Amino acid sequence: MHRLLITGAAGGVGRVMRRRLASLADILRLSDITDMGDPAPNEELVRCDLGDPAAVKALVEGCDAIVHLGGISGEASFSKILHANLLGCYNLFEAARANGQPRIMLASSLHAVGFYRQDEYLDADAPLRPDGLYGVSKCFAELMARMYFDKFGQETAIIRLGSCFEHPRDHRMLSSWISYDDFASLADCVFKAPRLGCPLIWGVSNNDACWWDNSHVNYLGWRPKDNAGDYRARIDATVLRPEPQSSAALYQGGPFVDKPIYPDE
Ligand code: NAI
Ligand code: 15L
């Protein structure tokens, strides 16, 4: 493809994908509300607030595909989530509609279903059970994707990401971890698939322990290779095992289920 847009390019995942996804397109258009450093020769940097509809429309113009990572990535006050995640998501889908409907890879989160327990095995049809306002904003994003597909044919891969870090950080992440390599190979499958539709894909590596069933998206040919189980001994040795009755041990969303509703400043 000619131009791939990555929002949230200054964030933890975005900074890594800036390098890993470069081979997918001639030009990477990288966007964030904050500084992204200097552009490489194949890069265009655009500072943009996702809550600004005109800026987002201009951002998406000329793009053939979008990896949407930008927004608030944890529990926060409603006003913050409203601006970056709800309005930001609406602005992105409207901008895509106005600009030829580039395919979107959307970063949703396990916190859309964080109130399921860790002994439950979920498929893509499991009812939503968000564990906070952040989780609700990801439910909103997933439903926006679904509605724009049904109404307008906008293709979006809804990636319900587990825990995307260099390596798993605690016992919960032995089930929820997705490696950067597996995220990148998923992007490759999403953008190369002849027909995508609007699938819900669990963003998780090939972990020994797993809560989620991705068999409905076998047609995409994505075969995650990494395994959080390879880190089990290290986690056991370095991270305190959570109390058996704690949220970290009981719920897929872990400690997020205990977070309060943060007041607006
Ligand atoms: P992050 O917080 O490191 O990066 C998000 C980026 O979005 C930041 O650079 C931030 O400046 C930008 N941003 C925030 N508000 C904005 C606004 N109004 N306009 C434009 N940009 C704005 O998050 P991370 O870890 O890189 O995650 C990327 C995406 O994946 C997020 O949408 C997050 O919710 C989702 N996700 C991440 C997981 C993980 O384990 N890293 C797990 C599940 C979901
Ligand atoms: C998320 O949705 C967050 O963006 C990320 O920072 C982690 O907290 C992840 O979920 C998780 O719960 O492991």
Side-chain angles (χ1 to χ4, degrees):
M1 71 178 93
H2 183 52
R3 184 179 282 106
L4 170 67
L5 167 64
I6 303 180
T7 69
V13 179
R15 281 198 306 275
V16 176
M17 292 309 139
R18 180 175 181 173
R19 295 191 305 276
R20 307 258 175 138
L21 303 188
S23 60
L24 285 181
D26 303 327
I27 299 173
L28 283 188
R29 180 173 289 174
L30 303 168
S31 176
D32 206 292
I33 200 170
T34 190
D35 183 52
M36 291 168 282
D38 296 323
N42 65 324
E43 292 177 345
E44 300 169 345
L45 305 190
V46 183
R47 284 279 275 266
C48 169
D49 180 349
L50 290 164
D52 177 342
V56 176
K57 196 168 174 192
L59 177 69
V60 170
E61 198 179 338
C63 294
D64 305 300
I66 303 172
V67 177
H68 183 46
L69 303 172
I72 302 294
S73 63
E75 198 55 28
S77 69
F78 185 67
S79 60
K80 284 187 180 158
I81 285 182
L82 175 66
H83 182 81
N85 292 15
L86 302 188
L87 186 56
C89 175
Y90 166 74
N91 287 340
L92 188 91
F93 276 98
E94 276 298 281
R97 188 161 76 93
N99 284 291
Q101 300 189 326
R103 192 174 279 186
I104 298 173
M105 180 173 176
L106 175 77
S108 180
S109 168
L110 87 161
H111 296 289
V113 291
F115 259 112
Y116 282 98
R117 294 170 69 103
Q118 293 182 13
D119 57 7
E120 292 176 282
Y121 191 64
L122 309 181
D123 64 21
D125 297 326
L128 297 166
R129 292 186 73 182
D131 56 25
L133 295 176
Y134 167 63
V136 170
S137 77
K138 293 301 188 181
C139 297
F140 175 83
E142 293 187 3
L143 290 172
M144 286 288 283
R146 190 72 233 168
M147 185 270 280
Y148 274 78
F149 178 67
D150 288 339
K151 208 183 259 293
F152 304 117
Q154 165 71 54
E155 289 196 306
T156 300
I158 302 166
I159 315 299
R160 208 176 271 166
L161 280 174
S163 306
C164 190
F165 299 106
E166 192 172 358
H167 49 72
R169 297 174 170 180
D170 57 27
H171 290 86
R172 185 180 62 98
M173 291 188 194
L174 292 174
S175 299
S176 61
W177 182 61
I178 175 170
S179 70
Y180 293 141
D181 278 353
D182 285 336
F183 185 104
S185 69
L186 176 55
D188 196 60
C189 289
V190 162
F191 292 123
K192 289 182 178 163
R195 255 201 302 274
L196 178 69
C198 187
L200 182 288
I201 305 169
W202 298 98
V204 67
S205 279
N206 185 30
N207 302 333
D208 287 339
C210 184
W211 306 317
W212 306 316
D213 177 5
N214 255 336
S215 55
H216 63 292
V217 284
N218 277 340
Y219 70 94
L220 284 175
W222 181 51
R223 301 289 177 265
K225 301 228 172 348
D226 290 314
N227 182 352
D230 295 343
Y231 296 85
R232 184 172 289 278
R234 188 211 283 195
I235 297 284
D236 281 342
T238 58
V239 182
L240 210 58
R241 188 177 287 278
E243 290 297 322
Q245 290 312 312
S246 68
S247 302
L250 287 179
Y251 292 101
Q252 297 191 4
F256 276 61
V257 308
D258 296 327
K259 290 186 192 284
I261 300 293
Y262 293 117
D264 288 317
E265 290 101 42

